[in-house]
Amino acid sequence: MDALGGDWVAVLAGVDLAETYVELSYVDAVRQRRRRPLLDCVTARFEDTPPVRPFRWSRGERHFSGWYWSATTGQHVGFESWLERDRLVLMDSDPGVVGIASQPFWLHWHDGKRERRHAPDYFVRRADGSAVVIDVRADERIEPKDAEAFEVTQFACAQAGWGFERVGVPEAVLAANVRWLSRYRHPRCLHRTAVDRLREVFATPRPLLDGADAAGDRLAMLPALFHLLWIQELAAADLSVELMGPRTVVGLTSRGVG
């Protein structure tokens, strides 16, 4: 369930990237606002920075903002739409992701007429130490000004040695399955006796509910089973094709061995 598999096709927006100078502004560890040249910021741990702008809730707004408790960070991470929330859940479920921050910085540049700025949606740190900047926008909602912002962001990330992805609407069935598993993301679901028994039972793939019953009391086993699926020590077949159910085949992965 790799959440960082989005495609990005550059939409030329008329920006002369060769002449583009980019600065970053962000909130530092002591809550002071800083603005520095991009290349002075490449080693910063933006996965630990607070958002550069607030998340607002207003009556009549078409979008929905909120805070999501991330099992990856142990902290709340903001989102500004249901689409951003779904992408955040997918990132949180990815074992290759070790850090996530929302609205980590402003990118500042000049488009030849005026100064522009853009705050990417997420900064992600991967387990191998690499960084990826994520913008979330449905394909049909990309306007020319958005295309320019994404193009400059992609250019800036290349200069900094970060990856960049613009991701859209995730596959509906996969998103629904991962949303369900996210209900069991908290470590409190990891009852050690249940975990050991589930690993033993699912060492040979079998239907989900049959395995839960074979492991012990169903009500005691299911939260731990769903948590093991969340952290991918267990894997369920065809999560992107079928909604998870009693007959979904579940098996132990290499992450769950030992």
Side-chain angles (χ1 to χ4, degrees):
M1 295 183 290
D2 188 342
L4 305 183
D7 296 325
W8 166 245
V9 178
V11 180
L12 296 179
V15 180
D16 184 358
L17 294 178
E19 300 296 327
T20 301
Y21 171 72
V22 179
E23 291 185 330
L24 265 65
S25 60
Y26 59 95
V27 180
D28 67 15
V30 294
R31 300 283 172 164
Q32 297 294 314
R33 290 194 174 268
R34 306 289 184 188
R35 179 162 171 168
R36 302 169 63 194
L38 166 69
L39 295 182
D40 289 350
C41 303
V42 296
T43 61
R45 292 185 57 84
F46 287 114
E47 66 270 30
D48 297 328
T49 58
V52 292
R53 63 184 184 185
F55 295 93
R56 302 184 185 278
W57 295 265
S58 302
R59 185 183 297 274
E61 291 283 353
R62 295 181 61 185
H63 68 278
F64 183 88
S65 299
W67 294 95
Y68 166 87
W69 185 83
S70 166
T72 298
T73 67
Q75 298 178 350
H76 286 89
V77 180
F79 59 87
E80 293 186 305
S81 67
W82 289 122
L83 177 55
E84 285 188 23
R85 192 281 312 273
D86 282 350
R87 283 295 178 181
L88 180 54
V89 173
L90 287 167
M91 289 187 283
D92 197 31
S93 72
D94 184 348
V97 171
V98 297
I100 311 170
S102 56
Q103 310 284 341
F105 47 70
W106 288 105
L107 290 167
H108 301 267
W109 73 96
H110 202 280
D111 66 4
K113 298 180 180 178
R114 61 187 177 88
E115 182 174 285
R116 294 280 309 280
R117 70 175 186 172
H118 171 62
D121 293 313
Y122 297 107
F123 184 94
V124 170
R125 184 71 64 183
R126 296 196 63 90
D128 62 6
S130 63
V132 185
V133 173
I134 306 291
D135 266 313
V136 182
R137 187 67 58 88
D139 296 353
E140 66 275 10
R141 295 194 59 216
I142 298 177
E143 299 179 3
K145 63 182 179 62
D146 302 318
E148 178 183 334
F150 298 155
E151 189 174 14
V152 172
T153 304
Q154 184 180 37
F155 166 78
C157 289
Q159 294 292 301
W162 304 328
F164 172 70
E165 294 183 10
R166 194 282 304 173
V167 295
V169 179
E171 201 285 323
V173 175
L174 176 63
N177 281 324
V178 177
R179 278 198 302 269
W180 170 265
L181 293 176
S182 72
R183 301 176 183 182
Y184 301 90
R185 66 189 182 276
H186 198 282
R188 63 173 171 258
C189 296
L190 267 185
H191 187 280
R192 181 51 51 190
T193 301
V195 167
D196 291 342
R197 183 66 181 135
L198 288 164
R199 285 174 176 157
E200 179 183 344
V201 166
F202 287 105
T204 300
R206 59 195 302 169
L208 185 153
L209 202 55
D210 288 349
D213 289 339
D217 177 71
R218 180 184 299 182
L219 293 181
M221 293 296 160
L222 283 175
L225 192 163
F226 292 137
H227 185 85
L228 290 175
L229 285 165
W230 169 260
I231 63 175
Q232 299 185 37
E233 289 193 12
L234 296 178
D238 299 326
L239 281 185
S240 62
V241 177
E242 295 182 354
L243 291 175
M244 194 166 49
R247 298 184 181 85
T248 299
V249 176
V250 173
L252 192 66
T253 70
S254 59
R255 291 178 57 83
V257 175

